[in-house]
Amino acid sequence: MALVSGSGRGIGRAVAEKLAAEGARVVVNDLDDAPAKEVVAAIEAAGGEAVAVVGSVTDPDFADRYVTTAVDAFGGVDIIVNNAGYTWDNVIQKMTDQQFDDILDVHLRAPFRILRAAQPVISAAVKKERAQGLAVPARKVVNTSSTSGLYGNPGQVNYSTAKAGLVGMTKTLAKEWGRYNVTVNAVAYGVIETRLTTVTTEEQTIDVDGRTIKVGINPAVHEQATAQIALGRAGTAEEAAGAVYLLCAPESSYITGQVLVCSGGL
């Protein structure tokens, strides 16, 4: 059973569909109702099982509602992928407190709340399994970080700070949750093709909780970035999902506290 936040589009959708194809039952999440239901329908059409929890991961009650849905629908939590997020860029002298706080909220506070809400469920399941003399399965947490969080990126002091913080959270939870046989890892993405990184000369925006946020990459900036990638191109959402799957597969049950860089050799 897998929780995948921000899975109505882009990387999150690819992750949800990949995990479902490999046998996981998935709780899909998106800000908007239509994309979430579309992904659920696609998973079901392919023979999988999924339910949707619509809403912002930054809402104070979201984490409890999210985890409760997983328990009610599928009986527990085996995989958590903290993927939801967006960018709101500016150089530091022009960045507002709201820009800084909102990005930390979605990329750092929200995963913290989801993991905190999931802990009692996972702990109870492990205690029950041990009491019954059963083998405790390797449950998985994968947090979505970024090369911006590892190396920094101009204009992204908020995003880079949040993603660096998520690495610290990952390493700490790996130590706290090892006793439950839970592996906790992160994937740091480079340039991945999504609606947030569309190459365009025209202004592109998305709506986030009533705020209009500019997205997209100028062609010259994109060309400069891809020139530094060993594979010579941006990654696809499906390739990004593959990195998450590697850390969710049974074969990675002795890998924890690590950051897997998925950047094509950037």
Side-chain angles (χ1 to χ4, degrees):
M1 189 273 113
L3 292 164
V4 185
S5 67
S7 48
R9 304 173 175 90
I11 294 172
R13 175 171 183 161
V15 169
E17 292 181 344
K18 174 64 175 176
L19 294 179
E22 297 296 332
R25 295 171 293 176
V26 183
V27 180
V28 173
N29 157 253
D30 195 84
L31 271 172
D32 303 315
D33 186 66
K37 288 184 176 178
E38 184 179 320
V39 176
V40 169
I43 289 172
E44 291 177 340
E49 295 181 65
V51 296
V53 175
V54 177
S56 173
V57 295
T58 63
D59 290 343
D61 67 339
F62 177 83
D64 289 333
R65 184 163 60 92
Y66 196 34
V67 172
T68 297
T69 299
V71 174
D72 290 347
F74 301 127
V77 176
D78 300 305
I79 296 171
I80 301 171
V81 181
N82 285 307
N83 169 78
Y86 60 97
T87 55
W88 193 3
D89 298 349
N90 221 330
V91 290
I92 192 168
Q93 67 270 25
K94 296 181 180 179
M95 184 169 289
T96 66
D97 285 354
Q98 184 183 11
Q99 271 182 286
F100 190 83
D101 292 344
D102 285 1
I103 293 301
L104 260 68
D105 232 14
V106 69
H107 290 285
L108 197 55
R109 188 189 301 274
F112 160 72
R113 285 174 168 167
I114 290 169
L115 293 168
R116 181 177 63 184
Q119 189 279 339
V121 174
I122 292 172
S123 175
V126 171
K127 288 178 182 177
K128 183 177 180 181
E129 288 155 358
R130 287 176 175 158
Q132 294 176 345
L134 302 174
V136 176
R139 294 179 171 89
K140 309 281 188 162
V141 173
V142 181
N143 294 318
T144 298
S145 186
S146 168
T147 53
S148 295
L150 301 181
Y151 314 125
N153 197 35
Q156 291 191 323
V157 66
N158 51 359
Y159 183 74
S160 298
T161 299
K163 290 306 192 183
L166 196 58
V167 170
M169 187 183 298
T170 297
K171 292 180 178 292
T172 298
L173 264 292
K175 294 182 176 182
E176 287 190 12
W177 285 12
R179 58 185 172 146
Y180 304 130
N181 201 28
V182 177
T183 67
V184 186
N185 295 289
V187 175
Y189 290 118
V191 184
I192 306 294
E193 294 175 346
T194 70
R195 66 183 181 135
L196 301 182
T197 58
T198 300
V199 181
T200 179
T201 56
E202 299 178 359
E203 183 173 296
Q204 302 285 332
T205 63
I206 59 172
D207 181 80
V208 180
D209 289 338
R211 295 186 304 278
T212 300
I213 308 294
K214 291 182 180 180
V215 296
I217 299 178
N218 180 278
V221 174
H222 186 268
E223 183 178 355
Q224 183 181 26
T226 54
Q228 300 176 57
I229 299 173
L231 294 180
R233 60 175 178 81
T236 67
E238 290 72 25
E239 288 172 321
V244 173
Y245 175 70
L246 289 175
L247 296 173
C248 292
E251 290 81 357
S252 62
S253 61
Y254 200 62
I255 299 171
T256 194
Q258 303 304 305
V259 180
L260 173 62
V261 178
C262 178
S263 69
L266 177 66

